[in-house]
Amino acid sequence: MTEALQWARYHWRRLIRGATRDDDSGPYNYSSLLACGRKSSQTPKLSGRHRIVVPHIQPFKDEYEKFSGAYVNNRIRTTKYTLLNFVPRNLFEQFHRKEKKYIDRCWKDVTVGDFIRLSCNEVIPADMVLLFSTDPDGICHIETSGLDGESNLKQRQVVRGYAEQDSEVDPEKFSSRIECESPNNDLSRFRGFLEHSNKERVGLSKENLLLRGCTIRNTEAVVGIVVYAGHETKAMLNNSGPRYKRSKLERRANTDVLWCVMLLVIMCLTGAVGHGIWLSRYEKMHFFNVPEPDGHIISPLLAGFYMFWTMIILLQVLIPISLYVSIEIVKLGQIYFIQSDVDFYNEKMDSIVQCRALNIAEDLGQIQYLFSDKTGTLTENKMVFRRCSVAGFDYCHEENARRLESYQEAVSEDEDFIDTVSGSLSNMAKPRAPSCRTVHNGPLGNKPSNHLAGSSFTLGSGEGASEVPHSRQAAFSSPIETDVVPDTRLLDKFSQITPRLFMPLDETIQNPPMETLYIIDFFIALAICNTVVVSAPNQPRQKIRHPSLGGLPIKSLEEIKSLFQRWSVRRSSSPSLNSGKEPSSGVPNAFVSRLPLFSRMKPASPVEEEVSQVCESPQCSSSSACCTETEKQHGDAGLLNGKAESLPGQPLACNLCYEAESPDEAALVYAARAYQCTLRSRTPEQVMVDFAALGPLTFQLLHILPFDSVRKRMSVVVRHPLSNQVVVYTKGADSVIMELLSVASPDGASLEKQQMIVREKTQKHLDDYAKQGLRTLCIAKKVMSDTEYAEWLRNHFLAETSIDNREELLLESAMRLENKLTLLGATGIEDRLQEGVPESIEALHKAGIKIWMLTGDKQETAVNIAYACKLLEPDDKLFILNTQSKDACGMLMSTILKELQKKTQALPEQVSLSEDLLQPPVPRDSGLRAGLIITGKTLEFALQESLQKQFLELTSWCQAVVCCRATPLQKSEVVKLVRSHLQVMTLAIGDGANDVSMIQVADIGIGVSGQEGMQAVMASDFAVSQFKHLSKLLLVHGHWCYTRLSNMILYFFYKNVAYVNLLFWYQFFCGFSGTSMTDYWVLIFFNLLFTSAPPVIYGVLEKDVSAETLMQLPELYRSGQKSEAYLPHTFWITLLDAFYQSLVCFFVPYFTYQGSDTDIFAFGNPLNTAALFIVLLHLVIESKSLTWIHLLVIIGSILSYFLFAIVFGAMCVTCNPPSNPYWIMQEHMLDPVFYLVCILTTSIALLPRFVYRVLQGSLFPSPILRAKHFDRLTPEERTKALKKWRGAGKMNQVTSKYANQSAGKSGRRPMPGPSAVFAMKSASSCAIEQGNLSLCETALDQGYSETKAFEMAGPSKGKES
Amino acid sequence: MAMNYTAKTRRPDNTAFKQQRLPAWQPILTAGTVLPIFFIIGLIFIPIGIGIFVTSNNIREIEIDYTGTEPSSPCNKCLSPDVTPCFCTINFTLEKSFEGNVFMYYGLSNFYQNHRRYVKSRDDSQLNGDSSALLNPSKECEPYRRNEDKPIAPCGAIANSMFNDTLELFLIGNDSYPIPIALKKKGIAWWTDKNVKFRNPPGGDNLEERFKGTTKPVNWLKPVYMLDSDPDNNGFINEDFIVWMRTAALPTFRKLYRLIERKSDLHPTLPAGRYSLNVTYNYPVHYFDGRKRMILSTISWMGGKNPFLGIAYIAVGSISFLLGVVLLVINHKYRNSSNTADITI
């Protein structure tokens, strides 16, 4: 239903032709099929686990016509139309009148086997295999924002073999068969093959699949064949619907509602029994025991039974139905205030906190465990190229580091400049170099105004990036990431690069080139070993297309020449422009020009180029013709371009924009660009790179082995244009790459020795990088012979076309390719910590929240980030779980546990896990702080059932847990484990698609709307823009929401019980006959009108402690964690109070009016009035802050009550029989006793609670009450008081620390770390020596001396390398 | 352009309301801050309590139980249903004279006039003079709706069970010749009841005619239009009837029966002395253990005699005062703890 509606909203898409056949005729309406019957045909047959899609035309024609007589004729007659335009046109004519209806139906009638033709900006209606694209390269761009929220374009490719076709696929001639896997919900996988009539098979992958829900962009038209339709589409299968989360508080309240039901039943039973007994005494008394209408008297038993139900009707208010309504309203109000908090506003992204779940805001105040992703959540996920190591030499890029630090001023200078330049350039056809900044904004089609505003905001915010609001892509290319200042030493080496290096086939000139070649390869790898999409800024979303240089090998010089002429024509528009702009062109990167090296660079490169030309020309060989020509053209262009060409700060390709799937890739490409190795364009067949000294190089792209998390690497196979060899460039995690390097035999050639040296040095650098918290990647290459490649390719195709165990086969195939690599170097990319993360984590720690960091990153990086963000303190004891087998894992854990227990046996308060959880973490802090590092592999063992308990026990000892190398599934499993086994409230925060499962599993999922798309946000309950917002969200809003709502719920229970009990007490005096002493309207309105608004206002606006104090004293959060505001016994105390108050409220008037001549309603009136005052004043006592809104509502409630009573009492003479309060209120208002009774009742009823609150306030104030005093202080007093508060806390800790030390002699030693670590080592090393157990890789304890650390790290190092 | 942009921004308004910074009164309930409240409550409540108590004590009230369950009682003979009508006389003595207006009540005990079905069993429209309701009373009145195919006026159990003893008061002077005391029948019901809520059905001058077609309640001796000779106190607007129809809240109650107006400032309304109460005993209460009483009471500004309210006020005031003292001690002892300077964890 919803599906149909949803589809109906979209524009229609044309189904080019169709037969209409349905194997299961059930669900489809044939008449509607006829209405839009233009499907070719389809035969969904499920053969085993696979699906075969065969587009039949002839075989089903008869059947088809049977169903769709007239229309088929129509189709057949109108042969003058092409098949493609016939349908739309005809349909338009045919169904012009009821077009809308037709659209509605058509969307759902798409069936498997249909051919679908879609134009640009249309939404894909079903999963289909792409058969044709108007794009010459057979590429189709799709936007998947409807699916995962990511707005960057993704490329999809036409099935191989179809890309070469010039014309559109003719469905009539389509005779192939598609076999693919059965429908599943895996968005990132599609396996199948297309079998041509001649049995030739072509593999299909997700690159060929257009998923329903995506939008076609930048491609004029595409044609595809439907393989999954309707509910079988991956989009629909993924749509499991939102998980309904119910907050802990609400669950708690629900049980208490059940108690209320119990109470009600008890009260009603009392009434029933009481009535029965009463009746048996007065059975014969017809005076007041009115007989039934027919005159007989029912037996006491039956009357008691009836009375039970009468009482239920009378007392049903006890079950707070209105509570749920009020809770919803309160939650809405709370959400409103959370969203209005200006502190959550992110200027750069113009975003506020998004509350996507409305019903769990109060859970924010009870979080005990926080699971955080690292990348993009704690860090900015702005990858900044920091260092690299090439051929064993480390290049620190100090200037770059300095640039990053001094970024702010630079930006401010820049922006002014850009504003002027970009304006002047906006109308130019191809603005080249002038401003890099415009690049970042252009591709997104943002209005200039956005850009302007974005940059001006940045200035104000003082943060180093000039991002554009609304744009994610821009974030990838903010100057801080894109501008890399080259390292001087590396540049020096660059100067040695000449094309000549490639001339003699390698090893003829031995002396200089080795390192230089490494450098060249390194940067080429950086530039091309990725899946970055290049686009130009002023043509949004369009890739730059250079005329194809043709396939390899290049055939003739003429051809090349002509090609280059064409190419240079394209480029030549820029030089004039540039020269015109020259004065300003040097300025854009002010910080760049400040650096001295560029003045040196300027003369250097032109000279170099000329030199290269000179020396190049004579030796032209066919293989290097391309290069030479390139150089010539390039040189010409370069001359015209003048300085623009050679200025590193303003490279030629500055206006290119790179759209990368991961920011790392972009960072590397930008880094390569800084060294004038610029990625210019990328098509499925080739990659063009501008290499400063070598000129433009076109690499034929033979194959891409994309990145996956199992291999942890990606490779590109290219044909090197200079050497014409097949080269594999691989980029990946160091641990993986290092194992794949060619094994150097010790007696090998010098080259191999050199390799060894490079490798060792690089490893050292890598460790270095990791220690600095940089993300490391290794770059390696491999040269293959053509025959080797051909053989591999053959096997690979086999793997590609298989369906069943394709992954394994592909993995194997990749393994075959990616081996015997030559290490080129390594890169270190910095992922900067987000602003305010350490402070937030510290605060959350203080708030008693255990924080786990779950990351896919490597251990060293993760640990460093953990230190950097204060997740781990320097003097924390660190345990590292990194084992290769389950037994070892269990043993190691028990060893650590034993160690910990031994350590804390001295501490009296440590007993067991369960008790430990309930304990305030304060003594724990003093006892010992421990951190646990666990790797993905080990985590797998730890999550197994047998070790779960041990693992949890271990983690409960630790302040922080870091899980590195964790897969998304593991992340969610960890959360699930902790949540279900420890019965704690968990929060998961993450920003990427890999965090989605974790976010969904946790009690509260928070998405960081950052760089990696919207998937996490889509799955989350709350979405923030930065991690630091979490602290206020939890500490302030969470605390408020929780206390507010829990107090409100308790108050609601109280209110209902207190009021209903008045009726109940009256039953004792009216023979349990179910009489109410109040007229029905007042009874109804009392809850509905007179006392409904105050609790809601109380629930929305109550503020026990101010936001500032809550932020300054995160300890206050613990009350929420322990559910202090609403414990089970709180409910019963509240109920007791309600009972007391109702007793008072009943019996004070009772004794006052006892024996007098009051009538029923005159007796009820003071009861009601007093109850109203009691209920409202109770709220005032409970409120910690009262604003004018509270006042207004309370006074409004009182006034509305009196107004109603007076008006109703005056107007209603005979209405509402028999309960008729005529003129009672008026009488009472003139009666002083009425007032006296009300005042007395109210005071007696509220006295105990008031006294209790007062005594609590002065004798045993809770931390929150004490913190409340802070709000009253002046700022100076406040800081003083805060200091005292903290001092007191510390004092406590210190004293307990001393106590511990004196108590346990074997307890703490000055250096906490070593003992534990050593103990572990001895224990497990003796146990499993050869078991491939690497334990305690490093002990990152600061108390640990360097030498010891080295000793420890030694063995494991050896193992790794 | 920048201006435009700012206008479009999603930045929340930085207002006190939205940022939850509304100026608020933040009461901190500690001994020190609330101390005055307790003393003030004490100081106010105790005088009020004393005032009420004194007033209540000054009210003269006498209750005469004439149920007749005790064998010695003169009305004992009336317990048997055979004696009809039954007259009995009870003598009593006023120790002190009653000044001002004296109210004469009859009191019933153990009479559940607040039984739900009993309370419901009436037709307000009929009592309000609605002629259609007169002949076709509400179903709520069942089974006292119709009798012998005629609608009962007034219908329902309440009316049916109307108190129908007649009480007369005599002052027995020295010469043992009883002087009847003037009992005023009118002015005992609420004005609004008599004039708005209760009305006789419309029609001719004769009340009997207006109630034509109806019959009397089963238990009644006389039809409703013969309750009194005074046309202004007859039918539905008979004040005894109106008072009865205002159902009592509790099973033990009193209802105003007559007024004894004071004659002059010089003489007490009821001088101390011996009196006799003449009862026409019609109303049977003994078989549900009920009691019947005649009550004479003077009234004050706060109504009848009620010691509870005064005592309660005094008690609450004293407790409050005591608490104030306790808090004073606490405040003195723990003053530091409520002070922020000495906050400890």
Side-chain angles (χ1 to χ4, degrees), chain A residues 275 278 281-282 285-293 295 307 310 336-337 339-342 345 347 350-352 447 449-450 452-453 457 469-470 1037 1040 1044 1066 1069-1071 1073-1075 1100 1103 1148 1150-1160 1163 1181 1183-1189 1213-1214 1217-1218 1220 1222-1224 1227 1232-1233 1236-1237 1239-1240 1243-1244 1247 1250-1251 1253-1255 1257-1259 1266 1268-1273 1284-1285 1288-1289 1292, chain B residues 1-2 5-6 8-14 17-34 37-38 41 45 48 52 105 110-122 124-125 128 140 142-144 157 160-161 190-193 196-197 219 246-256 283-285 287-289 293 301-303 306 308-309 312-313 316 319-320 323 327 330 334 337-338 340-345:
Chain A
H275 188 65
W278 180 86
R281 275 179 68 197
Y282 299 109
M285 190 55 227
H286 288 218
F287 257 17
F288 44 82
N289 181 23
V290 182
E292 292 293 291
M307 190 46 59
T310 312
Y336 169 79
F337 277 120
Q339 285 189 327
S340 314
D341 193 327
V342 80
Y345 180 69
E347 280 170 311
D350 188 35
S351 69
I352 48 172
K447 284 169 233 144
S449 62
N450 284 349
L452 259 175
F457 275 153
H470 311 304
H1037 288 287
W1040 279 349
R1044 283 169 178 174
Y1066 188 60
F1069 301 95
C1070 66
S1073 60
T1075 317
V1100 175
K1103 204 162 87 174
V1148 169
Y1150 171 78
F1151 285 121
T1152 310
Y1153 291 110
Q1154 192 188 22
S1156 74
D1157 58 344
T1158 9
D1159 67 299
I1160 294 179
F1163 176 68
I1181 291 177
S1183 290
K1184 305 290 189 300
S1185 78
L1186 293 163
T1187 64
W1188 59 266
I1189 300 175
V1213 180
T1214 58
N1220 188 334
Y1222 180 65
W1223 215 254
I1224 283 171
E1227 284 285 331
V1233 177
L1236 288 173
V1237 166
I1239 290 169
L1240 183 70
S1243 341
I1244 298 178
L1247 197 64
F1250 188 64
V1251 170
R1253 287 287 174 215
V1254 169
L1255 291 181
S1258 31
L1259 294 183
R1266 270 184 274 138
K1268 228 180 122 186
H1269 289 281
F1270 279 60
D1271 298 342
R1272 295 201 162 172
L1273 304 177
K1284 277 224 163 136
W1285 175 296
N1292 259 8
Chain B
M1 266 187 331
Y5 187 77
T6 341
K8 269 188 285 175
T9 176
R10 289 158 70 188
R11 173 192 276 277
D13 299 338
N14 197 358
F17 175 70
K18 280 201 170 185
Q19 301 309 315
Q20 308 191 56
R21 280 189 270 99
L22 281 178
W25 177 54
Q26 297 186 307
I28 297 179
L29 302 177
T30 57
T33 50
V34 300
I37 297 177
F38 282 95
I41 289 178
F45 273 32
I48 289 179
I52 296 170
Y105 299 91
N110 224 4
F111 190 103
Y112 284 85
Q113 237 201 343
N114 53 14
H115 189 282
R116 184 172 55 90
R117 297 237 302 277
Y118 180 86
V119 170
K120 266 165 57 180
S121 189
R122 63 191 285 165
D124 277 345
S125 302
N128 196 232
E140 302 280 2
E142 291 283 13
Y144 305 107
N160 189 45
S161 61
W190 290 17
W191 187 90
T192 46
D193 280 1
V196 184
K197 201 172 171 184
N219 287 2
R246 195 167 267 283
T247 49
L250 299 165
T252 300
F253 59 90
R254 64 175 71 164
K255 283 184 186 288
L256 197 53
Y283 205 71
V285 292
Y287 63 93
F288 57 85
D289 297 333
R293 291 159 295 148
W301 54 267
M302 52 163 287
N306 187 1
F308 168 77
L309 210 54
Y313 262 96
V316 172
I319 289 169
S320 172
L323 279 171
L327 288 179
I330 287 173
Y334 290 88
S337 73
S338 64
T340 47
D342 226 25
I343 284 169
T344 52
I345 280 192

Side-chain angles (χ1 to χ4, degrees), chain A residues 422-485:
Chain A
S422 61
S424 67
L425 287 178
S426 57
N427 53 353
M428 294 187 188
K430 246 183 179 276
R432 258 287 141 87
S435 161
C436 284
R437 266 353 151 269
T438 50
V439 172
H440 315 133
N441 311 312
L444 301 148
N446 281 326
K447 284 169 233 144
S449 62
N450 284 349
H451 168 55
L452 259 175
S455 32
S456 59
F457 275 153
T458 317
L459 297 183
S461 75
E463 240 208 59
S466 77
E467 283 175 50
V468 180
H470 311 304
S471 81
R472 285 186 338 89
Q473 258 62 47
F476 279 6
S477 48
S478 71
I480 201 163
E481 294 165 286
T482 58
D483 298 338
V484 177
V485 181

Side-chain angles (χ1 to χ4, degrees), chain A residues 946-983:
Chain A
S946 52
L947 292 180
Q948 275 178 3
K949 208 168 168 282
Q950 214 177 1
F951 175 58
L952 287 175
E953 199 176 340
L954 180 58
T955 56
S956 74
W957 289 91
C958 301
Q959 217 57 43
V961 178
V962 175
C963 301
C964 39
R965 295 290 194 216
T967 63
L969 193 67
Q970 277 182 333
K971 287 185 184 183
S972 74
E973 272 174 5
V974 167
V975 177
K976 220 183 278 177
L977 180 76
V978 170
R979 194 170 81 98
S980 55
H981 284 244
L982 298 184
Q983 312 275 314

Side-chain angles (χ1 to χ4, degrees), chain B residues 218-285:
Chain B
V218 187
N219 287 2
W220 284 21
L221 304 173
K222 301 178 275 188
V224 67
Y225 46 84
M226 289 170 69
L227 284 175
D228 197 11
S229 51
D230 181 0
D232 198 30
N233 193 25
N234 202 1
F236 288 155
I237 55 169
N238 176 274
E239 294 200 17
D240 283 332
F241 175 67
I242 292 172
V243 166
W244 180 255
M245 292 305 283
R246 195 167 267 283
T247 49
L250 299 165
T252 300
F253 59 90
R254 64 175 71 164
K255 283 184 186 288
L256 197 53
Y257 185 66
R258 293 290 182 264
L259 282 176
I260 305 169
E261 283 183 319
R262 67 170 180 184
K263 288 155 249 167
S264 67
D265 290 336
L266 298 172
H267 302 285
T269 321
L270 290 179
R274 290 181 36 223
Y275 290 84
S276 74
L277 175 69
N278 282 8
V279 181
T280 316
Y281 199 110
N282 294 319
Y283 205 71
V285 292

Side-chain angles (χ1 to χ4, degrees), chain A residues 902-903 905-907 1298-1308:
Chain A
K902 208 168 79 192
K903 210 152 261 312
Q905 258 162 13
L907 306 179
Y1298 283 130
N1300 296 334
Q1301 273 192 347
S1302 55
K1305 284 198 176 91
S1306 64
R1308 286 170 59 91

